[in-house]
Amino acid sequence: MKRREFITIIGAAAASWPLAAHAQERVRHIGVLLPAAADDAGMQARIAAFHQGLEQSGWTIGRNVRIDTRWATTDAAEIRRHAAELAALAPDVILAHAATTVGPLLQATRTVPVVFPAVVDPVGAGFVDSLARPGGNATGFMNYEYSLAGKWLELLKQIAPGLTRVAVLRNAATASGPGQFAAIQAVAPTLSVEVNPVNVRDAGEIERAVAVFARAPNGGLIVTASPLVQRHRDLIVALAARHKLPAIYFERLFVAAGGLLSYGPDQIDMYRRAAGYVDRILKGEKPAELPVQAPTKYELAINLKTAKTLGLAVPQTLLAGADEMIE
């Protein structure tokens, strides 16, 4: 063989080595379970942030990872069905939003790693043994500590100082519902506000309870975190407007829909951070040894148009601290 031919053959072989390595690269499998409909714009933004976080860690869909996303809506039966199906597929890890999806998943599997980007009280719900050492097959990120719920009442009183009564919309079927209400109740006497729980089960119950509450003057609403409340977001915002009730919400999507103000963790940031935990699990770390983390970024959003409609003058202190103001 001539020297030139030999060099040509070796060069061609070398050029093919990266392609061969690429073809043999193991494709990992991620499951995603969401308590939302596929057209939910807020959840779509979070999942986009999750995908972005994976890309930054070197995971590319179609090359070295595939993602099986289940939009289970907020229907409990649908969530259980999708949880069982995902668990049976035995992916390398499952991302699951909120207690309503994590609970059914952990009933379906105690071996597949589960990462939650947002759960209010993972210890109280029994998902982990402790925040520092989860101990099982689940770990992730807390929405916030219950004490944050007291901050909602403080902010609502700042923007509507005439408030003397507040209805607290909560999901009493979960540990986080009563927990959030208790934190609000603890702060209420110092602000001279009477708080009343309103259980969230269906649209009719919410509408009747808010209408009855609004019959007396000087009232307002606190909407606590739960997927059920998310499901009735548009209704709750519309009821607050109809009855002219100042209301504070746990996330900015309500303010974007016309709600007065919100304060809570930056959900987009939490999904990016969850991608980091998924990356670490795919690379061999165990969820039992990854501590549950608290949010590091919070955001205050104010709808100035809604404030004007309610006849409220937004204090300068709130304006200065706002991350987003909607005109």
Side-chain angles (χ1 to χ4, degrees), residues 140-321:
F141 300 83
M142 294 189 301
N143 260 350
Y144 35 71
E145 296 179 339
Y146 287 144
S147 60
L148 181 69
K151 179 74 172 176
W152 293 331
L153 183 56
E154 293 173 3
L155 289 168
L156 189 59
K157 185 74 173 180
Q158 283 184 50
I159 200 169
L163 284 181
T164 58
R165 307 163 50 251
V166 170
V168 180
L169 273 64
R170 65 173 189 178
N171 182 2
T174 65
S176 63
Q180 292 173 89
F181 178 75
I184 296 167
Q185 197 173 35
V187 173
T190 65
L191 299 171
S192 300
V193 174
E194 173 192 338
V195 295
N196 301 280
V198 174
N199 294 331
V200 177
R201 281 186 284 263
D202 57 54
E205 182 179 40
I206 296 170
E207 193 158 3
R208 288 189 297 272
V210 172
V212 170
F213 176 81
R215 290 173 185 168
N218 304 320
L221 294 179
I222 294 177
V223 181
T224 64
S226 83
L228 276 176
V229 166
Q230 285 275 24
R231 178 180 183 180
H232 300 296
R233 179 174 64 220
D234 293 339
L235 170 64
I236 293 169
V237 170
L239 288 172
R242 182 190 309 167
H243 297 289
K244 301 189 183 306
L245 294 170
I248 186 167
Y249 307 87
F250 60 93
E251 69 172 29
R252 65 165 298 280
L253 291 177
F254 288 84
V255 178
L260 178 60
L261 77 163
S262 67
Y263 183 70
D266 183 337
Q267 296 283 337
I268 298 297
D269 180 65
M270 293 177 73
Y271 268 74
R272 289 197 188 99
R273 295 174 70 198
Y277 260 18
V278 168
D279 170 60
R280 291 172 67 175
I281 289 171
L282 291 176
K283 291 175 179 175
E285 295 190 55
K286 305 297 183 185
E289 300 169 358
L290 294 174
V292 176
Q293 297 187 38
T296 57
K297 293 182 179 180
Y298 291 86
E299 54 185 3
L300 171 64
I302 304 173
N303 192 312
L304 299 178
K305 181 180 179 181
T306 300
K308 184 177 181 180
T309 300
L310 292 171
L312 298 173
V314 182
Q316 189 59 41
T317 52
L318 284 184
L319 292 174

Side-chain angles (χ1 to χ4, degrees), residues 59-141:
W59 300 99
T60 302
I61 298 174
R63 180 173 66 83
N64 57 3
V65 70
R66 66 184 180 94
I67 300 179
D68 190 349
T69 302
R70 303 298 179 94
W71 298 87
T73 73
T74 56
D75 182 77
E78 281 297 289
I79 291 172
R80 288 194 299 270
R81 180 174 70 83
H82 285 295
E85 290 177 356
L86 274 180
L89 293 175
D92 295 292
V93 60
I94 298 175
L95 182 84
H97 179 90
T100 53
T101 60
V102 177
L105 267 177
L106 295 183
Q107 291 175 355
T109 178
R110 284 291 181 175
T111 56
V112 176
V114 174
V115 172
F116 47 83
V119 164
V120 176
D121 184 2
V123 176
F127 301 154
V128 299
D129 296 338
S130 71
L131 300 181
R133 295 191 64 82
N137 63 316
T139 188
F141 300 83

